[in-house]
Amino acid sequence: EIELWASRIRAVMAECGEMLLVELQQQSGLSLVDVWLGLLLGETGCSIRRQLSSEIEFSVDFYDRSGIWIVELLGGEKLV
């Protein structure tokens, strides 16, 4: 169902352009696993980025969902 998940992600992202991963999960109605798989394997046109602040220690838990942003790529950008 990857294309279904990717389609839901695209629909939510079209309204905002960027949002936190947890917000995307809530607004899409998908489970966290489905959101991750849709982002990683589907054609969403989105990038996954982690935002760190100077207040966060460098030993940030890899699995911590806070600070993970999903950003819709504009026409000329490419996934890296």
Side-chain angles (χ1 to χ4, degrees), residues 8 12 23-32 34-35:
R8 280 197 184 167
V12 171
E23 293 172 340
L24 176 59
Q25 179 199 1
Q26 292 168 350
Q27 291 187 23
S28 68
L30 298 170
S31 72
L32 187 58
D34 293 348
V35 171

Side-chain angles (χ1 to χ4, degrees), residues 32-53:
L32 187 58
V33 171
D34 293 348
V35 171
W36 272 118
L37 290 174
L39 288 166
L40 295 173
L41 302 174
E43 295 291 328
T44 62
C46 295
S47 169
I48 304 168
R49 299 182 181 160
R50 179 179 288 278
Q51 179 181 7
L52 296 176
S53 73

